[in-house]
Amino acid sequence: MTMKDYRTIVVGTDGSELAEPVVARAAWLAVRDDADLVVVCAFAELSRRTEAMNVATLGGDTRTGQVLGREAAAVALDKAMATARAEGATVSAALLVDGEPSKVLIATAEERHADLVVLGAIHDRSLADRLLGTVATEVTKRATCDVLVVRPTDDKGDLEVPENAP
């Protein structure tokens, strides 16, 4: 079996604590393989009033993994770009896309003819995640290229949910 170099790597970011090591891993791979790096942030467009009033509440929004509002997405994308540059990567595209994260990542990978999608994932956080699936689950099921799932290096993202939890 021969290993291939990646030519185009797509990485998703949401500005969360896990996003930085995910982007750093993608950037490191891009530098190693002299690949194009495409950074994507999926967001849900909000009216200016709604965006100004938006306060994140635990379990209050079904748009898991999606940044709420263009302004928050721009901040997340800026942080990702800084991380990629710090790793020495050249970013060929930085995209803010209004849409559901897994669909956005898959579509971007297809449009850019990506060889690899890099994204972060934490262990099951809730019963809803188990029933509806997560961004990582959807991308690994539907992507037509390699997928690298980066897990947290500590236990902050691992929350135990008993099987009989409501």
Side-chain angles (χ1 to χ4, degrees):
M1 181 172 129
T2 60
M3 297 299 286
K4 65 178 180 173
D5 287 340
Y6 296 115
R7 296 173 315 233
T8 303
I9 298 171
V10 171
V11 62
T13 185
D14 63 2
S16 68
E17 217 175 286
L18 179 56
E20 185 175 348
V22 170
V23 173
R25 178 73 57 88
W28 179 84
L29 285 166
V31 168
R32 190 198 77 166
D33 285 358
D34 193 26
D36 290 334
L37 183 63
V38 179
V39 182
V40 183
C41 183
F43 69 97
E45 188 66 67
L46 302 174
S47 70
R48 288 186 188 265
R49 180 178 176 166
T50 304
E51 189 167 354
M53 293 174 23
N54 184 47
V55 175
T57 57
L58 193 62
D61 201 303
T62 59
R63 296 171 287 204
T64 304
Q66 192 169 32
V67 178
L68 301 178
R70 182 178 288 276
E71 189 173 315
V75 170
L77 195 59
D78 287 345
K79 284 172 50 179
M81 295 294 291
T83 299
R85 282 193 293 272
E87 290 293 324
T90 302
V91 177
S92 63
L95 308 172
L96 291 175
V97 183
D98 184 4
E100 194 274 316
S102 62
K103 290 179 183 173
V104 166
L105 285 169
I106 292 165
T108 301
E110 289 174 357
E111 290 164 8
R112 301 283 174 152
H113 305 288
D115 306 293
L116 176 67
V117 174
V118 181
L119 57 115
I122 57 177
H123 293 271
D124 291 335
R125 293 175 44 184
S126 69
L127 187 57
D129 285 349
R130 289 181 181 189
L131 295 174
L132 301 174
T134 62
V135 173
T137 301
E138 288 304 306
V139 172
T140 55
K141 281 183 190 175
R142 298 185 188 341
T144 57
C145 62
D146 291 352
V147 177
L148 172 62
V149 178
V150 178
R151 297 276 187 189
T153 56
D154 57 23
D155 290 335
K156 287 181 185 175
D158 299 343
L159 302 176
E160 291 294 322
V161 178
E163 289 299 320
N164 61 355

